DNA sequence: TCCTGTTATTGATTTATATCAAAACACTCC
DNA sequence: GGAGTGTTTTGATATAAATCAATAACAGGA
């Protein structure tokens, strides 16, 4: 895996440049823009240029600390590749992962100028980083950006509520089934015309420890539960860090508690 | 308890009116504005007039359904009095209360035009209700309102993350201690110069069922745990639906897991 | 005031999941 | 290719909280 930013040449092939650096970032933004649902949607070419010139792209290796709980919130990130884990901890080390942020998601909101959570890369992660004052300025200049951010946070809040239902009221089996189904959404191919894969694949780049800390379980219970689902032929492990869901309907039944087992 | 809106006369005494109804609501808004942290902060008199004329005040009896999960999101509420519970449910009736909304909080964000949660009044609740299209228009007209909403949602998201830590990783005792401490913040008097009460009082208008569904426990465990804290003289029950915290420091230690017991 | 339904408390027992322990597997680096 | 390290799986046992069950406290209406 290359850990240096990819050369912009592959993106700008066949186009003329204006300013080297900015144009490279702009191309990157234009690519981003095609993936719907992100912060940069419907923001217009001028907006994208402003975003491109205010941000820097970074590539972070697995296990990098991006944000520490309680630190001054200096940066705002938009993830373009890879997976980031967000978490809160207790003094004795117990940890709760509050979410995994995949490409298209932002990261770095603050309460009273301080981050209220920690964030660490799960695998190799590409981000656009903004300095906070510049991002604030962009928010004021680009009403679409503000609106997109509002929509994005609203989605996050809804996800958080769903996760609270999981943590507070679901069994281990229901939790794991919900988790696996949730990990299929993110990796949808950009084309709309292909029919949905009847046996979707869950992207699981994180360790058992991370899954356990996300579901409020121990690693042993996670492992046992995944083994049980495999034994029942509802899922099957594929190559690198992926799990194929053989029976999405059955898994959905389990995830929503509509099953005896 | 009166369930009709209070007469505006007590607020407008000694002032001249312009339009009867609007002026009454405006006075109400001006009062709201004094409580910091709400949506209507720093919004200016013109903004308050726009808000007042776009909203209706309502008084809802205990147990009223304000929002149903999956319904079209037609209204947006700002709570001015009382407590509302927000929740998500599973098909078999298991329920997770995702938060209690107290005065100053909003309610009614939607994802894709549908409410993602249910909401029900705990006690008698006063709200300002906006129709969604009108609220959207206000958001575009009043940049301060948009900014306040962004700040408010960010706070909610941080609270949700804290609650996930509680649900996933805290013991019953730690959960109850956290809950009681959390219920003291809201009822702070508006004056800043008084020293903080050394034995704060937690406002607990909700039933044991609601507390259990909020903490991911059963009513029996909640009851037993509160009894234990009382036996240890860390708390004491006062009159109507309140619990006095005799030893906030000890309770804080418990809530953050820094204690043997 | 008593009656009645609801809510809260307390006790006895069960159970899902945690904890403790060890073996199997999968990398990485010589 | 094999030693060494970390991760995952599987097994045996313990325990916190759930469940089942009964009593006690409370609130509202006649």
């Amino acid at each position: 895996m290359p850990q240096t930013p990819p050369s912009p040449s592959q993106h700008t092939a066949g186009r003329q440049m204006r300013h080297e650096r900015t144009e490279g970032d702009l191309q990157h933004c234009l690519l981003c823009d095609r993936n719907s649902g992100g912060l940069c949607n419907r923001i217009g070419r001028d907006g994208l240029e402003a975003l491109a010139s205010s941000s820097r792209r970074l590539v972070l290796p697995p296990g990098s600390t991006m944000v520490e709980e309680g630190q001054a919130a200096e940066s705002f990130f938009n993830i373009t590749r890879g997976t980031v884990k967000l978490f809160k901890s207790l003094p004795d080390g117990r940890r709760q992962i509050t979410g995994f942020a995949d490409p298209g998601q932002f990261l770095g909101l603050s309460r009273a100028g301080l981050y209220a959570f920690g964030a660490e890369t799960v695998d190799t992660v590409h981000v656009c980083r903004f300095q906070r004052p510049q991002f604030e300025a962009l928010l004021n200049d680009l009403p679409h950006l503000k609106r997109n951010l509002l929509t994005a946070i609203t989605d996050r809040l809804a996800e958080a509520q769903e996760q609270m239902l999981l943590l507070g009221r679901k069994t281990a089996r229901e939790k794991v089934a919900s988790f696996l189904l949730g990990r299929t959404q993110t990796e949808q191919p950009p084309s709309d015309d292909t029919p949905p894969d009847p046996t979707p694949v869950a992207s699981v780049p994180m360790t058992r420890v991370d899954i356990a800390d996300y579901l409020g379980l121990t690693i042993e219970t996670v492992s046992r539960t995944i083994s049980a689902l495999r034994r029942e032929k509802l899922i099957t492990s594929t190559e690198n860090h992926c799990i194929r869901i053989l029976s999405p309907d059955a898994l959905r039944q389990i995830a929503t508690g509509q099953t005896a087992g």
Side-chain angles (χ1 to χ4, degrees), chain A:
Chain A
M1 288 248 166
Q3 292 188 186
T4 52
S7 151
S9 63
Q10 56 192 319
H11 298 152
T12 53
R15 300 183 189 225
Q16 65 273 31
M17 290 183 171
R18 293 186 307 186
H19 301 292
E20 279 232 339
R21 190 196 49 68
T22 303
E23 181 67 9
D25 284 348
L26 176 57
Q27 292 309 323
H28 194 262
C29 281
L30 287 172
L31 280 173
C32 247
D33 191 39
R34 294 219 217 106
N35 310 323
S36 59
L39 284 190
C40 310
N41 263 64
R42 308 180 155 270
I43 220 131
R45 190 179 168 97
D46 287 355
L48 286 176
E49 281 182 19
L51 282 170
S53 67
S54 301
S55 64
R56 289 292 170 277
R57 283 185 287 146
L58 296 177
V59 180
L60 306 166
S64 311
T65 295
M66 293 177 67
V67 154
E68 265 179 297
E69 185 172 349
Q71 271 187 339
E74 290 171 348
S75 299
F76 187 92
F77 302 92
N78 202 19
I79 299 166
T80 58
R81 195 193 235 217
T83 300
V84 176
K85 57 189 177 197
L86 314 185
F87 54 87
K88 305 233 351 157
S89 301
L90 287 169
D92 64 4
R94 277 176 287 172
R95 188 182 65 152
Q96 178 65 39
I97 291 184
T98 58
F100 293 105
D102 290 296
Q105 297 212 278
F106 67 88
L107 168 60
L109 286 179
S110 71
R111 183 140 89 151
L114 302 177
Y115 293 122
F117 55 89
E120 213 179 295
T121 56
V122 169
D123 47 14
T124 300
V125 168
H126 297 224
V127 296
C128 297
R129 183 180 63 188
F130 300 84
Q131 300 300 328
R132 182 154 301 273
Q134 292 173 51
F135 187 75
E136 300 276 336
L138 284 173
L139 273 186
N140 287 328
D141 293 349
L142 304 171
H144 270 301
L145 181 62
K146 213 172 188 175
R147 164 52 48 121
N148 287 344
L149 184 58
L150 208 53
T151 305
I153 305 183
T154 302
D155 283 357
R156 292 298 201 79
L157 194 55
E159 278 170 27
Q161 291 169 337
E162 186 70 40
Q163 191 68 4
M164 285 191 254
L165 175 64
L166 178 148
L167 290 169
R169 289 301 182 213
K170 289 189 181 179
T171 66
R173 190 174 162 87
E174 290 161 0
K175 287 176 175 183
V176 169
S178 303
F179 168 71
L180 291 175
L181 288 168
R183 292 303 306 175
T184 58
Q185 259 79 305
T186 51
E187 294 283 330
Q188 286 297 353
S191 57
D192 287 313
D193 43 8
T194 40
D197 189 342
T199 64
V201 170
S203 151
V204 190
M206 63 291 290
T207 66
R208 293 285 183 270
V209 175
D210 286 343
I211 299 173
D213 281 350
Y214 180 57
L215 299 178
L217 298 171
T218 59
I219 56 173
E220 293 95 331
T221 299
V222 170
S223 188
R224 274 187 251 273
T225 308
I226 289 178
S227 296
L229 294 175
R230 196 162 28 217
R231 225 176 298 121
E232 299 166 42
K233 301 262 189 279
L234 298 175
I235 63 174
T236 184
S237 296
T238 70
E239 80 296 350
N240 244 3
H241 292 294
C242 282
I243 292 180
R244 181 171 293 274
I245 297 174
L246 299 176
S247 184
D249 288 340
L251 215 59
R252 253 187 295 274
Q253 292 279 111
I254 295 170
T256 53
Q258 299 169 340
T259 183

